[in-house]
Amino acid sequence: MAAPVKSKVDGAVGAVQHLTIGKAINLALRTAMEANDKVIVLGEDVGKLGGVFRITDGLQKDFGEQRVLDTPLAESGIIGTAVGLAVRGFRPVCEIQFEGFIFPGFDQIVSQVAKLHYRTQGRVKVPMVIRVPFGGGIGAVEHHSESPESLFAHVAGLKVVSCSNPVDAYWMTRQAIDCDDPVLLFEPKRLYHSGNLRAEVDTTATPDPLFASRVVRTGDAATLVAYGPSVKVCLDAATAAQEEGTSLEVIDLRTLSPLDLDPVFESVRRTGRLIAVSEAPSESSLTSEIAMRVQQECFYSLEAPVLRVTGFDTPYPPAKLEEDYLPDLDRVLHTVDRSLAW
Amino acid sequence: MSSPEQWTHPEPGAGPAATAAEPTPEQVIAGLRATTEGGAELTQLLTPEGERVASAQFDPYVSDVDDEALRNLYRDMVLVRRADRESNAMQRQGQLGIWVPLLGQEAAQIGSGRALRPSDMAFPSYREHGVAWTRGVDFRELIGIFRCSDHGGWDFRHHGFHPYTIVIGNQVLNATGYAMGQKFEGKVGDDNGEATIVYFGDGATSQGDVHEGFVWSAVYDAPVVFFCQNNQWAISEPTERQSRLPLYQRARGYGFPGIRVDGNDVLACLAVTRWALDECRHGNGPVLIEAFTYRMDAHTTTDDPTRYRLSDELEEWKLKDPIERVRAHLARGGGADQEFFDKIDAEADSFAAELRDFVFNMPDPPPERIFRNVYAEPSPVLEAQRREYLAYLDGFAGSEH
Ligand SMILES: Cc1ncc(C[n+]2csc(CCOP(=O)(O)OP(=O)(O)O)c2C)c(N)n1
């Protein structure tokens, strides 16, 4: 890990800053670029505009057009050229505008990004990051609210992580850039600018390992496991449940591939109950995998079947219906009740 | 536009660093010219001042356009613009989730759309509200997409107007396949032939799908007109971020004709598109049309164009307004009087008021809509999810929720 660097973001001077998720990622990109001139950012509109979510705001101004590339409008191009740049010794960080637009680049991700190291018997490393704003709740039109992460977790050779708070947003971005493997970072877009999620980000701290999940709230009645935007939903549900005397444990998965389920197993052995929460459709998904592994490892500890709260097995609906589609506090608590009633 | 030679090759010795520096005033002006001038090869039948320009090649394609027809084109553009402005305002008022403005592109859309016959098929992107209008799709059928209450539910066969496509470039291949179908069914070859038109932006030309569409259509002689509305910007990125060459010139590399038309000239857009469709009907397709136009508003209501474009550019393009030039032409030639213009304005007012009324009273879809039409054949898994979710909602009946 490179030495911490002072940042210009928000005019701050110290190592500790009070940041949203969006600003934390911006700071992480900035500090990584300052630390290593092989780090370059590329994507549609990431330059002058600062990205459609303004995550790359100000970077082109300070690092120039050759380190922050406003690319042609082509995702296969963004990802495919990043592979070549990585082979050449750069550490590209690609921005995909919305998760629904990653698919023109899917071929490159599956065929090259994921397999080059394997195919070359380790001779070629692909140290690149693909940043993907994902998930619903922003009232958008089609293709702007999906949760396709399971598709990528299924591909061997990729590492897939998701952040849920500013500290992780900062460190996961830094660590993903430092990682010698390709990392897809799924960013909870509806929380980018969420003021009440602002947190102290200490750029001199020692971060948690990138590929490890974490217990974010302890409890003993049941375990909730989630990642990305659903972590907040689970934490809110746990707070609400506490008021009624039910103590819920919440685990932020953080890493989707490789999955770090040891903390989940440990938790379920104590609570006897697991509810997996995700916005993605449920069939053949990450939550399917979690349920399978937990029943295998914790069979004798389970007091109820593993349950889940997910999106439905439908395309993402028109946004007027997304409140129905997305796991919310009520659906989580309802499922907790079902688990407890077993 | 400056010639490609001028803007594709940097000065000897000028490395990439030169592009990163602040542009000189001369460069700014040159850039502005490149954007606002369509170049010598621009096909135009009506100047920005409303003067008719003769064209040996294209006049025959609009020989039937008399004053009345021109008044109708004018009306189309005014109504569509008014609906666009009203929708933009409704987004600001929270009635729509987002709006994708067409302001400035009325001529490109109305001219090309009115060139189509009912048996033709149009594949839009997401900004083609004007083309939708020419295909008889009611604004009320469109607006649900932007109110986020549906994904677009018009009968595409009835209207000959495919659903909107948001993923950039996808529809170009879909249109090519549709046109291949027209060809395979023997629907091309004479005056009664069918054709397909597909709309996309200048940014879209960078996508693999568009390149593949060009290749496939050429290989299978598909009767498809590629209608690129070069509105100069792909969100914050200028056309120069997508291409070294003027876009219409790319067609040559694929082996079919490409033409650049003044996209703010409704008559020229009509003529050129009729010609291109005619080529397709007779089996001489495909054809690429680059309609050289300008996006007068933001990319969408979530965009902030002040971050990336010059206000001079906007001012420059205001002088080329597609509606004003038809108005000037009609007024000057006596094709319409003040009474006519007032009548159209009044019609536009009530059209906008009706639209507003419709949107304000639009019901939200019921939750069970989520589960409908996922598959053509019933899915037991989904049926179970639907039942379970509706039962869950029933559990709240009568409670606070
Ligand atoms: C595959 C894909 N990538 C990114 C986007 C996000 N996006 C929406 S519109 C747009 C710019 C399109 O520019 P252009 O093709 O010139 O069409 P215009 O909107 O200017 O008419 C982008 C990048 C998208 N919709 N689809």
Side-chain angles (χ1 to χ4, degrees):
Chain A
M1 177 75 44
V5 185
K6 281 184 185 171
S7 163
K8 300 172 194 161
V9 172
D10 283 349
V13 284
V16 179
Q17 298 186 38
H18 199 58
L19 301 174
T20 57
I21 289 178
K23 289 273 195 233
I25 298 170
N26 180 280
L27 178 63
L29 294 171
R30 177 176 287 284
T31 52
M33 292 178 82
E34 280 168 356
N36 180 351
D37 65 10
K38 290 294 185 191
V39 176
I40 60 174
V41 166
L42 66 163
E44 294 155 13
D45 303 294
V46 297
K48 265 207 178 112
L49 190 65
V52 290
F53 291 105
R54 311 287 185 261
I55 303 303
T56 55
D57 203 9
L59 296 180
Q60 190 181 64
K61 195 164 152 284
D62 294 340
F63 293 97
E65 289 186 12
Q66 214 166 282
R67 297 205 48 207
V68 181
L69 279 68
D70 266 329
T71 67
L73 207 177
E75 288 73 13
S76 184
I78 293 167
I79 293 162
T81 58
V83 170
L85 283 159
V87 169
R88 175 73 193 184
F90 287 85
R91 299 185 92 85
V93 183
C94 307
E95 175 174 297
I96 298 299
Q97 219 156 60
F98 285 86
E99 72 292 308
F101 308 135
I102 198 169
F103 298 104
F106 198 64
D107 173 28
Q108 284 289 340
I109 294 175
V110 173
S111 310
Q112 303 307 327
V113 175
K115 298 198 180 108
L116 207 48
H117 191 253
Y118 194 69
R119 283 171 45 216
T120 60
Q121 298 175 40
R123 290 195 180 86
V124 173
K125 287 184 194 155
V126 191
M128 60 185 273
V129 179
I130 304 177
R131 296 183 34 243
V132 193
F134 85 121
I138 61 163
V141 290
E142 276 188 291
H143 311 289
H144 290 73
S145 305
E146 298 171 8
S147 298
E149 58 280 1
S150 303
L151 295 173
F152 299 92
H154 191 69
V155 177
L158 300 177
K159 290 181 173 169
V160 184
V161 298
S162 183
C163 56
S164 67
N165 62 69
V167 175
D168 273 352
Y170 178 82
W171 284 113
M172 284 182 155
T173 307
R174 291 289 320 243
Q175 291 165 309
I177 294 171
D178 281 345
C179 181
D180 276 343
D181 285 311
V183 179
L184 272 77
L185 173 57
F186 280 88
E187 302 170 356
K189 70 167 88 84
R190 75 160 173 270
L191 303 179
Y192 270 149
H193 307 300
S194 165
N196 53 20
L197 273 189
R198 263 176 199 272
E200 302 296 328
V201 177
D202 180 353
T203 59
T204 62
T206 306
D208 281 352
L210 179 56
F211 302 110
S213 49
R214 189 200 298 137
V215 177
V216 288
R217 179 180 174 121
T218 54
D220 51 32
T223 304
L224 303 179
V225 62
Y227 55 89
S230 300
V231 173
K232 180 173 184 325
V233 176
C234 289
L235 286 170
D236 290 348
T239 305
Q242 193 70 58
E243 283 164 19
E244 300 187 351
T246 306
S247 114
L248 299 176
E249 182 138 311
V250 180
I251 296 178
D252 183 347
L253 204 51
R254 297 177 78 250
T255 172
L256 314 184
S257 178
L259 272 176
D260 173 29
L261 293 180
D262 286 345
V264 179
F265 301 150
E266 210 175 292
S267 174
V268 171
R269 285 188 193 112
R270 274 190 297 104
T271 65
R273 293 179 163 83
L274 181 70
I275 292 118
V277 183
S278 155
E279 294 183 12
S282 58
E283 208 167 65
S284 306
S285 67
L286 276 161
T287 54
S288 309
E289 178 69 15
I290 293 167
M292 186 276 154
R293 300 259 291 269
V294 166
Q295 71 82 25
Q296 191 176 324
E297 291 294 321
C298 310
F299 189 69
Y300 292 108
S301 310
L302 283 169
E303 304 280 345
V306 177
L307 299 177
R308 36 185 182 171
V309 187
T310 65
F312 302 110
D313 288 315
T314 71
Y316 199 85
K320 285 275 184 197
L321 290 168
E322 67 184 345
E323 275 183 33
D324 287 282
Y325 183 90
L326 293 172
D328 65 358
L329 188 137
D330 285 330
R331 262 169 81 197
V332 172
L333 292 178
H334 174 76
T335 309
V336 168
D337 286 346
R338 274 177 60 208
S339 176
L340 291 173
W342 218 274
Chain B
M1 170 164 297
S2 53
S3 74
E5 293 74 43
Q6 277 172 277
W7 52 284
T8 53
H9 301 294
E11 293 297 311
T19 54
E22 284 291 306
T24 63
E26 291 74 32
Q27 282 173 317
V28 170
I29 292 165
L32 196 60
R33 287 248 167 78
T35 307
T36 57
E37 290 174 12
E41 304 205 8
L42 185 79
T43 300
Q44 192 177 65
L45 297 182
L46 266 187
T47 67
E49 294 74 33
E51 309 273 8
R52 184 70 165 78
V53 184
S55 160
Q57 188 186 355
F58 291 108
D59 281 349
Y61 287 92
V62 285
S63 58
D64 62 323
V65 181
D66 54 13
D67 282 344
E68 188 190 346
L70 213 49
R71 285 197 299 269
N72 285 338
L73 293 170
Y74 175 85
R75 173 178 173 269
D76 284 342
M77 292 196 290
V78 170
L79 293 192
V80 161
R81 176 174 290 187
R82 187 65 64 88
D84 176 71
R85 293 299 82 197
E86 194 65 31
S87 303
N88 210 64
M90 286 193 287
Q91 195 282 334
R92 299 287 180 226
Q93 293 156 3
Q95 290 295 324
L96 300 179
I98 190 171
W99 181 246
V100 184
L102 68 68
L103 189 70
Q105 299 181 219
E106 295 88 351
Q109 297 195 11
I110 297 297
S112 62
R114 286 293 179 210
L116 296 164
R117 295 182 192 160
S119 56
D120 296 332
M121 186 70 182
F123 283 73
S125 179
Y126 45 73
R127 200 188 294 282
E128 275 67 72
H129 324 315
V131 184
W133 166 262
T134 66
R135 301 305 278 164
V137 176
D138 196 305
F139 250 83
R140 289 173 293 198
E141 286 179 284
L142 266 179
I143 204 105
I145 297 175
F146 303 100
R147 189 160 164 98
C148 297
S149 58
D150 65 51
H151 292 327
W154 56 89
D155 179 342
F156 84 94
R157 269 202 194 79
H158 171 72
H159 291 291
F161 189 70
H162 191 259
Y164 272 13
T165 303
I166 292 177
V167 182
I168 301 291
N170 277 182
Q171 77 279 15
V172 175
L173 274 170
N174 307 151
T176 300
Y178 189 91
M180 286 164 60
Q182 291 173 316
K183 171 98 192 292
F184 295 165
E185 287 180 1
K187 296 287 166 61
V188 294
D190 58 31
D191 263 352
N192 297 319
E194 288 184 16
T196 294
I197 190 167
V198 57
Y199 293 86
F200 53 95
D202 44 306
T205 62
S206 295
Q207 285 286 359
D209 276 11
V210 176
H211 166 72
E212 292 177 32
F214 289 173
V215 171
W216 282 64
S217 64
V219 166
Y220 293 102
D221 296 325
V224 56
V225 175
F226 298 107
F227 196 91
C228 174
Q229 286 172 86
N230 177 1
N231 65 10
Q232 313 302 330
W233 293 95
I235 310 188
S236 74
E237 300 191 359
T239 311
E240 288 85 340
R241 265 296 136 183
Q242 321 291 340
S243 181
R244 278 187 172 195
L245 272 179
L247 295 172
Y248 74 99
Q249 290 182 6
R250 284 194 182 174
R252 193 179 163 73
Y254 295 93
F256 51 83
I259 184 168
R260 176 179 272 183
V261 62
D262 183 339
N264 285 19
D265 173 352
V266 73
L267 205 56
C269 288
L270 178 67
V272 166
T273 312
R274 278 179 171 175
W275 162 76
L277 289 165
D278 213 42
E279 289 290 296
C280 288
R281 290 186 210 299
H282 287 92
N284 303 326
V287 177
L288 170 65
I289 299 175
E290 178 192 358
F292 197 78
T293 180
Y294 191 74
R295 195 190 79 210
M296 294 296 287
D297 202 341
H299 170 71
T300 69
T301 43
T302 60
D303 174 39
D304 174 11
T306 61
R307 280 186 166 238
Y308 55 82
R309 74 182 182 191
L310 301 164
S311 57
D312 286 8
E313 185 181 309
L314 193 66
E315 293 309 311
E316 183 89 11
W317 276 94
K318 277 187 188 160
L319 304 174
K320 305 181 183 208
D321 189 85
I323 296 183
E324 286 309 316
R325 73 177 71 180
V326 178
R327 189 185 165 103
H329 181 75
L330 282 170
R332 185 178 303 119
D337 53 16
Q338 191 57 40
E339 197 186 330
F340 167 78
F341 296 124
D342 290 346
K343 193 187 91 192
I344 298 299
D345 284 346
E347 191 182 352
D349 285 344
S350 56
F351 182 53
E354 272 169 35
L355 182 64
R356 162 172 290 265
D357 210 45
F358 175 79
V359 169
F360 276 64
N361 293 305
M362 219 169 153
D364 286 348
E368 58 116 12
R369 166 71 187 87
I370 292 175
F371 305 94
R372 250 189 273 148
N373 298 315
V374 179
Y375 300 100
E377 294 176 14
S379 150
V381 172
L382 218 51
E383 181 49 28
Q385 278 185 15
R386 188 186 72 91
R387 245 184 291 116
E388 194 187 332
Y389 183 62
L390 295 183
Y392 162 77
L393 287 182
D394 272 351
F396 289 116
S399 77
E400 288 285 286
H401 293 271

